[in-house]
Amino acid sequence: MNNTVTPGKAKLVLNDVSFYYGDQPALKQINLRIHANEIVAIFGPAMSGKSTLLRILNRLSDLAEEGRLEGEVLLDGKNIHDPDVSVIQLRTRVGIVFAVPVPLPLSIRENVTYGPLLRRGRSKGELDDLVESSLTAAALWDEVKDRLPEPATALSGGQQQRLCLARVLALEPEVILLDEPCSGLDPISTMKVEEALLALKESHSIVIVPHNVQQASRIGDKAAFLLMGELVEYGVAEQIFTRPKDPRTDDYITGRFG
Amino acid sequence: MNVSRYTMQKVAFAIITTAAISVVIPLVLVIGYIVAQGIGALSWEFISAIPRNGMREGGIYPALVGTLWLTIGTAVTSIPLGVGAAIYLAEYAADSWFTRTIRLAIINLAGVPSVVYGLFGLGLFVIFLRFGMSILAGSLTLGIMTLPVIISTTEQALVAVPQSFRVVNASLGGTTWQGIRKVILPQALPGIMTGVILGLERAAGETAPILFTVAAFFLPRLPHSVFDQTMALPYHLFVISTQVPGMPIRIQYGTALVLMAFVLTMNLLATLIRRHYRRRRQW
């Protein structure tokens, strides 16, 4: 495996991570280093383990029945499966946005404040600020600022997706995971989400499963090519998309299979 | 025989339509007959006065109040236990021999004849726990009988809430309990309330479980406490229909009409709640 390792301290490190659903391996011996302030795009054909990889990073994979993990995942050098790590706290540090937006059956505002209110008491003023800053960062504030008490389900699909991003940003996470966040979106909504992500990169680590190779190359600083649970190639995105080292990566990005 | 499949289709359709319509007929007949026979007995005095002259005159006030108390008592005993058990089964319990045993117990509880509940209540609450024939003993007996209905409808209402809400709650750092309290339970509440009301309605109309545990043959006053006996509508109806010679028929049917109205009102309430929330539901 060709693993271009950027020097410096990594935010997230995966050491020999494998994941099984029952006897079926979904990920095989993944080694990956993700740094702060960069967007890592994980791409590959369906069933290659991309979503599983994301869910391991904030231990949502714990919810999978008969799921089994091998290897270790380090966040700031600390194994996230250590007994003294609170999975609740981990999930606020590593937030995730799903492919299909699931607004909770609450108002727009309550969706954004849901995560913060789970943790500790906050003044209304603080919450107001958090709602505005989160929605602004998710490029949704201007569209919803006058209708915050309305049900979140009244929003369009693209707006719901950005609301789900805002909901995660309100957790004030360090790492943001996005699982095909633009799969159901029109090009304009997609552009808005991508712009939001590029701005968020300044203060977060972002791991995204893009919905196609083009998106991976547009916004990824690094790119990882997964194939049948195997990490085929990982490195600087530009290089992977122009001069891939592995012939399988080349075949995939040039559309010879997929 | 060579009947075309289109003819067969028509015949089948006619048969199942007839079946559907005939289901309604008994209900209409029962309600119509009781209303026709009983409406003449209804008056303010009938529902607000105590029975007189060996129950042949006066009203049914103590029985009506008794049934009201028993319904409330049943609610108090069965709702916390039933809803709690359902939350455990739907949200926490893994599939194990333990939970399978609980489910099996609930299914069997639903199949126990109501008169057996009455006997059980007599043995446990009235005699062993020394509650005597009392509203407490009757409510507990009816409560246990109602549990399976409440548990199964509550569990169904919880399971019907999309799994994705639970995942979102977890992904935002919520505990399972926070997810239940903030999202799952509010969404399931209309379904739970419907089930609870339907369960209570059944309890309100039962005779056998209260026969040995609370119901008084003739007690022309209101109960003073939960340790008091009381008259109750279903048992009162049984008494005046079979045990009192020279009973005017209109009083029997008037009593039946009040009992039926009581139960159907609860039914209507459940329907209205369900309709109201279903319109507001967002998934």
Side-chain angles (χ1 to χ4, degrees):
Chain A
M1 193 192 71
N2 303 295
N3 193 344
T4 314
V5 177
T6 319
K9 210 165 154 229
K11 186 76 188 166
L12 272 167
V13 178
L14 283 77
N15 286 332
D16 284 332
V17 169
S18 300
F19 195 85
Y20 301 86
Y21 293 105
D23 299 330
Q24 285 294 109
L27 289 173
K28 302 167 193 163
Q29 305 255 309
I30 305 290
N31 287 285
L32 204 60
R33 299 170 72 84
I34 294 161
H35 290 79
N37 309 324
E38 62 181 23
I39 298 181
V40 175
I42 298 174
F43 69 104
M47 304 296 290
S48 54
K50 297 168 292 180
S51 296
T52 303
L53 180 56
L54 278 196
R55 280 155 199 255
I56 284 171
L57 299 182
N58 73 350
R59 287 183 57 184
L60 266 188
S61 53
D62 290 8
L63 303 182
E65 275 174 41
E66 311 211 349
R68 186 164 56 84
L69 181 87
E70 285 171 6
E72 58 176 13
V73 181
L74 308 178
L75 176 62
D76 287 337
K78 172 84 177 159
N79 189 334
I80 63 171
H81 287 89
D82 276 353
D84 62 329
V85 169
S86 149
V87 64
I88 305 294
Q89 209 203 343
L90 171 72
R91 287 178 188 155
T92 63
R93 293 177 65 193
V94 184
I96 186 165
V97 179
F98 300 104
V100 179
V102 180
L104 292 170
L106 305 166
S107 73
I108 295 171
R109 184 191 149 88
E110 286 166 331
N111 264 277
V112 181
T113 57
Y114 187 86
L117 285 176
L118 291 172
R119 281 182 284 171
R120 56 186 170 273
R122 290 197 188 215
S123 72
K124 188 170 178 304
E126 281 177 305
L127 281 175
D128 286 342
D129 291 345
L130 193 59
V131 168
E132 180 170 351
S133 63
S134 305
L135 286 168
T136 306
L140 189 59
W141 175 251
D142 289 335
E143 290 162 59
V144 300
K145 62 185 175 197
D146 300 320
R147 44 191 293 211
L148 294 176
E150 286 178 32
T153 40
L155 297 173
S156 74
Q159 289 172 326
Q160 287 185 9
Q161 192 55 276
R162 279 174 282 149
L163 178 68
C164 291
L165 176 58
R167 190 167 65 184
V168 166
L169 295 179
L171 299 172
E172 299 173 312
E174 299 154 40
V175 181
I176 304 169
L177 313 173
L178 301 113
D179 190 355
E180 301 194 28
C182 304
S183 53
L185 301 194
D186 59 275
I188 293 179
S189 297
T190 302
M191 199 177 73
K192 284 181 180 169
V193 170
E194 288 180 8
E195 281 170 6
L197 293 180
L198 289 172
L200 286 167
K201 190 173 82 168
E202 303 304 319
S203 46
H204 299 78
S205 304
I206 296 175
V207 185
I208 181 171
V209 174
H211 73 290
N212 56 30
V213 172
Q214 288 76 17
Q215 189 178 38
S217 66
R218 270 201 306 274
I219 61 170
D221 297 306
K222 300 276 183 57
F225 178 53
L226 273 185
L227 184 62
M228 316 242 315
E230 199 185 324
L231 181 60
V232 175
E233 190 164 350
Y234 177 49
V236 175
E238 197 195 337
Q239 187 199 327
I240 293 216
F241 292 117
T242 53
R243 302 180 303 279
K245 289 177 184 154
D246 195 292
R248 288 172 295 177
T249 315
D250 193 30
D251 285 351
Y252 183 73
I253 60 181
T254 53
R256 244 163 282 179
F257 77 98
Chain B
M1 195 167 90
N2 189 10
V3 185
S4 89
R5 57 202 182 102
Y6 302 106
T7 312
M8 282 309 291
Q9 143 90 355
K10 278 182 188 140
V11 171
F13 188 70
I15 291 172
I16 56 176
T17 309
T18 312
I21 292 171
S22 34
V23 170
V24 186
I25 294 173
L27 180 70
V28 173
L29 284 181
V30 167
I31 294 178
Y33 188 66
I34 288 177
V35 169
Q37 296 280 325
I39 195 87
L42 287 195
S43 66
W44 177 243
E45 195 207 350
F46 187 67
I47 56 169
S48 68
I50 57 172
R52 289 190 314 271
N53 187 20
M55 297 184 262
R56 292 181 193 86
E57 288 172 28
I60 55 168
Y61 185 51
L64 185 59
V65 172
T67 287
L68 202 62
W69 278 120
L70 284 174
T71 307
I72 293 170
T74 308
V76 171
T77 50
S78 62
I79 293 174
L81 216 56
V83 172
I87 292 176
Y88 173 78
L89 288 172
E91 303 293 330
Y92 284 99
D95 189 31
S96 66
W97 67 268
F98 178 65
T99 53
R100 280 195 294 271
T101 309
I102 294 180
R103 278 173 211 279
L104 196 65
I106 293 165
I107 292 168
N108 281 298
L109 214 53
V112 174
S114 58
V115 69
V116 175
Y117 279 109
L119 217 55
F120 165 78
L122 172 72
L124 179 63
F125 301 123
V126 176
I127 297 171
F128 182 73
L129 293 175
R130 300 182 184 193
F131 294 157
M133 294 265 286
S134 62
I135 292 180
L136 182 62
S139 297
L140 287 167
T141 308
L142 287 170
I144 292 174
M145 191 196 76
T146 311
L147 274 181
V149 181
I150 293 187
I151 292 174
S152 54
T153 49
T154 301
E155 197 183 347
Q156 279 165 28
L158 290 168
V159 169
V161 178
Q163 182 61 24
S164 53
F165 292 166
R166 295 175 181 84
V167 177
V168 166
N169 169 68
S171 78
L172 294 174
T175 62
T176 305
W177 176 243
Q178 283 177 317
I180 292 171
R181 216 188 59 221
K182 287 168 174 276
V183 180
I184 310 299
L185 214 47
Q187 292 300 308
L189 200 58
I192 295 174
M193 283 166 76
T194 308
V196 163
I197 292 173
L198 292 177
L200 294 180
E201 161 195 318
R202 219 193 108 203
E206 276 288 348
T207 312
I210 60 173
L211 192 59
F212 320 122
T213 55
V214 52
F217 183 84
F218 179 62
L219 187 68
R221 60 167 173 81
L222 299 187
H224 300 305
S225 78
V226 292
F227 294 104
D228 219 353
Q229 266 187 279
T230 180
M231 297 177 80
L233 281 176
Y235 183 58
H236 181 64
L237 182 60
F238 166 74
V239 167
I240 61 176
S241 305
T242 60
Q243 311 291 308
V244 184
M247 194 73 206
I249 281 200
R250 61 180 179 85
I251 290 196
Q252 293 168 358
Y253 279 95
T255 305
L257 182 56
V258 173
L259 177 59
M260 203 174 64
F262 186 86
V263 168
L264 289 183
T265 306
M266 287 173 74
N267 211 333
L268 185 69
L269 196 67
T271 311
L272 290 178
I273 290 172
R274 197 167 45 207
R275 262 191 34 182
H276 175 72
Y277 283 99
R278 205 168 264 172
R279 258 198 229 128
R280 287 184 16 182
R281 188 158 73 188
Q282 297 162 24
W283 40 273

